Amino acid sequence: MLKVEDIQVYYGAIHALKGISLEVPQGQIVTLIGANGAGKTSTLNTICGLIKPKSGKVIFEGKDITAVATQEIVKRGLTQVPEGRRIFANMPIYENLELGAFLNKNKKEVAESMEKVYARFPRLLERKNQLAGSLSGGEQQMLAMGRALMSKPRLLLLDEPSMGLSPILVKEIFSIIKELNEQGTTILLVEQNAKMALSIAHKGYVVETGRIVLAGDAKELLESPEVKKAYLGG
Ligand code: ATP
């Protein structure tokens, strides 16, 4: 479904991605793990068109989207939930959700998507008129995911959804991710919580300083001595 081919990204003189290649097959959860600054967010931002790589290609459903604008990429069915959620704290929850569908001019469809999001995240429905800034961290992550789902993505990119959440909420968010996948959404998940990410993923990639250093079946990576040592606390 998604193919990233040898992307090179620079920020001025900083060579952030030194030839990243990866594949996300339809129907799977694929995770990208690695330490702070390894290049995970840069990879996601390149895929969704927020950063243009110096070289390399991003192919989505057989089409080259490397030079396509982010809005158009969202229209084609690929949406990102950014790191840190980026919700609009001073706007009510329902308006945050509406923004996720701003490219869709069909009001009926937008209302249907909203119903689905509320069915999945009942807490958002209960609080739909409250300001988003009043939500807890876990609820804000749910809102960010709900907002992304408003664009009805076939491929969802998640950037560190567990960041800053308590262990119970991390579990809840991961079980939602698994459910979304079981219901048909393909997922590329960036995480520092390697154990949780590998436990729900089909495949995984390990990124270190702008390169993929390990790739394989998620269960194999969980058992791999290198991954255990570097990311699972020994
Ligand atoms: P984190 O988990 O901390 O977000 P990451 O794996 O997502 O880390 P990136 O954010 O992709 O890593 O960063 C990769 C490298 O690029 C880092 O060395 C970072 O300092 C650098 N970098 C990222 N964004 C910029 C920017 N806008 N300008 C300059 N350097 C940047």
Side-chain angles (χ1 to χ4, degrees):
M1 181 176 223
L2 179 78
K3 249 189 190 176
V4 172
E5 296 177 0
D6 198 21
I7 49 174
Q8 305 266 349
V9 165
Y10 288 81
Y11 298 106
I14 299 169
H15 194 181
L17 301 186
K18 300 165 184 158
I20 295 267
S21 298
L22 57 86
E23 278 188 46
V24 182
Q26 183 161 8
Q28 291 202 353
I29 300 178
V30 175
T31 186
L32 203 57
I33 58 175
N36 270 324
K40 304 179 301 296
T41 299
S42 300
T43 303
L44 291 192
N45 285 343
T46 307
I47 293 169
C48 71
L50 291 169
I51 297 175
K52 297 299 169 197
K54 184 151 191 195
S55 62
K57 274 186 192 167
V58 181
I59 314 283
F60 177 56
E61 294 182 328
K63 299 206 174 77
D64 187 341
I65 57 164
T66 324
V68 174
T70 302
Q71 278 205 13
E72 176 60 27
I73 292 175
V74 172
K75 269 194 203 160
R76 293 190 195 182
L78 193 168
T79 302
Q80 176 171 203
V81 180
E83 186 175 8
R85 292 130 194 152
R86 310 266 180 88
I87 56 154
F88 295 94
N90 293 321
M91 282 166 60
I93 286 157
Y94 77 89
E95 282 184 15
N96 271 271
L97 290 176
E98 279 170 1
L99 280 176
F102 84 102
L103 294 168
N104 190 343
K105 303 293 166 223
N106 183 329
K107 284 196 173 142
K108 193 166 157 255
E109 261 181 43
V110 174
E112 281 167 9
S113 299
M114 186 96 78
E115 294 270 301
K116 280 195 188 152
V117 169
Y118 285 144
R120 172 172 303 286
F121 301 107
R123 265 180 277 176
L124 298 182
L125 176 61
E126 282 161 26
R127 285 153 212 223
K128 65 178 188 174
N129 296 312
Q130 277 181 30
L131 297 184
S134 71
L135 294 174
S136 72
E139 289 162 351
Q140 290 189 11
Q141 182 60 43
M142 289 175 198
L143 176 57
M145 287 168 73
R147 181 181 56 190
L149 292 174
M150 290 293 292
S151 65
K152 297 201 263 181
R154 292 187 296 286
L155 174 61
L156 190 61
L157 311 182
L158 295 168
D159 196 351
E160 300 210 19
S162 78
M163 193 167 61
L165 302 184
S166 68
I168 291 176
L169 277 172
V170 171
K171 264 195 166 168
E172 190 174 345
I173 291 292
F174 274 89
S175 85
I176 291 168
I177 296 169
K178 214 171 158 204
E179 238 177 73
L180 284 174
N181 175 250
E182 283 161 3
Q183 290 165 5
T185 311
T186 305
I187 288 169
L188 176 57
L189 169 66
V190 157
E191 260 300 333
Q192 285 205 41
N193 190 332
K195 195 171 184 184
M196 286 295 277
L198 288 171
S199 71
I200 63 162
H202 300 90
K203 266 182 21 173
Y205 291 89
V206 180
V207 200
E208 272 174 23
T209 57
R211 289 196 176 88
I212 305 282
V213 293
L214 262 180
D217 189 77
K219 286 201 186 69
E220 283 168 22
L221 288 178
L222 261 180
E223 296 304 322
S224 120
E226 292 108 305
V227 171
K228 275 190 175 162
K229 184 159 172 266
Y231 304 102
L232 305 174

